[in-house]
Amino acid sequence: MTLLKDLMMLRKITVAAFAMGSLLSLSSQAVASEKLTVLLDWFVNPDHATLVVAKEKGFFSEQGLDVDLIVPADPNDPPKLVAAGKAELAVSYQPQLHLQVAEGLPLTRVGTLVATPLNSLVVLKDSPIKSIADLKGRKVGYSVGGFEDVILDAMLEKHGLDVSDVELINVNFTLSPSLISGQVDAVIGAFRNFELNQMDIVKKPGRAFYVEEEGVPSYDELILVANNQNVADPRFPRFLKALEQATIYLINHPQKSWNLFIKAYPDLNDELNRRAWKDTLPRFALRPAALDEGRYSDFADFLKAKDLIKETGDVSDYAVTIK
């Protein structure tokens, strides 16, 4: 009789455990259905490697998130759509954040993807321009007016020049072709991980002057922004944890990560993206949630000094650490 009671008790425990496991499984599935939309800044490219790896390797899923990476129809729209409550997160740029906050957009930086500038001034490798000072009287191509010319002015100022000493030409995002064709002598706004590789592939190698070495405060190139009203979203800490896991995996396993990337986006399996992948790896933020307040404060001071913003404001008003 005692043995029978023990067997019945064991059966009840087993059934209860099975039921509990089923409930936990259902609960896990429910959590996994939490969607989160991230608007990219541009078409998918190696700058987005950590996001793609986090999705394809399953790090987002492990955090109970179903993340959609959306390519924008217009690269100018993502921060504005987040500000309007149309998406949870957008990939943006630290300089752009300062300017848009000054314009009144309710945006806050909640994470970092690329923690160094990618922007650079590029000339042909065999160009007679060996120093920024050699730009005097030369033609400089740009794509985004109102910011790139300010960056250029800061670089020129370090060498005793200003933008009036060069001829600015809007080349409408055809930076490398304009330089290679001889339309301009230099271009500002060239991403060092792409344009230099693009030029090298067509046997017209370039040489870069890095903005952070030529009078411009260092800044985060790619960041994640959210609406001010949503910074306490409980999905964000899990999202950033998954992003950090993806970054660590990417750094430790670059080839396996590349394979995940091109499996998801096979059209990107070409020489330019392979090279850009390698050159972008050391630029990723190892701690995406971490915030360097001094960096943001310094860049705000720089923009104010250049009359791009009227007030610097408190960093906490537009950049936070998500915990």
Side-chain angles (χ1 to χ4, degrees), residues 125-314:
K125 189 174 183 178
D126 59 2
S127 166
I129 300 170
K130 306 300 181 184
S131 162
I132 297 294
D134 296 331
L135 288 172
K136 186 172 183 178
R138 303 281 185 171
K139 298 176 180 178
V140 180
Y142 72 96
S143 297
V144 182
F147 176 68
E148 287 178 357
D149 51 334
V150 170
I151 295 293
L152 176 62
D153 187 60
M155 298 174 77
L156 291 168
E157 184 179 355
K158 183 180 177 182
H159 296 268
L161 304 174
D162 60 41
V163 288
S164 67
D165 291 307
V166 301
E167 182 182 350
L168 287 172
I169 298 177
N170 190 332
V171 296
N172 295 318
F173 295 101
T174 59
L175 294 172
S176 297
S178 299
L179 185 58
I180 291 170
S181 68
Q183 180 184 353
V184 295
D185 302 296
V187 291
I188 184 67
F191 269 24
R192 62 193 69 172
N193 55 338
F194 275 94
E195 266 78 12
L196 288 176
N197 283 312
Q198 189 176 48
M199 294 171 68
D200 192 60
I201 288 171
V202 297
K203 310 300 182 185
K204 292 289 186 179
R207 179 160 33 87
F209 296 93
Y210 303 124
V211 298
E212 69 274 24
E213 295 179 359
E214 298 290 348
V216 179
S218 191
Y219 57 88
D220 296 342
E221 189 68 59
L222 288 187
I223 60 174
L224 292 157
V225 296
N227 189 294
N228 290 350
Q229 302 300 315
N230 299 331
V231 292
D233 190 316
R235 293 170 295 180
F236 290 171
R238 288 183 278 137
F239 176 89
L240 291 167
K241 182 177 180 180
L243 196 60
E244 182 169 334
Q245 289 176 304
T247 306
I248 293 170
Y249 184 85
L250 173 65
I251 299 302
N252 290 341
H253 308 284
Q255 185 58 48
K256 290 181 179 179
S257 297
W258 168 254
N259 292 340
L260 288 171
F261 185 79
I262 59 174
K263 182 180 179 181
Y265 300 96
D267 291 347
L268 300 183
N269 188 11
D270 59 29
E271 181 65 16
L272 176 58
N273 282 295
R274 280 192 291 273
R275 292 190 184 200
W277 181 272
K278 180 180 178 182
D279 287 349
T280 311
L281 281 178
R283 307 287 177 180
F284 288 111
L286 296 179
R287 298 170 58 219
L291 171 66
D292 184 341
E293 292 188 11
R295 169 176 286 198
Y296 279 70
S297 178
D298 289 346
F299 204 79
D301 289 340
F302 168 75
L303 293 177
K304 183 180 179 182
K306 292 295 182 180
D307 294 323
L308 283 182
I309 60 176
K310 293 181 179 179
E311 300 295 336
T312 58
D314 293 328

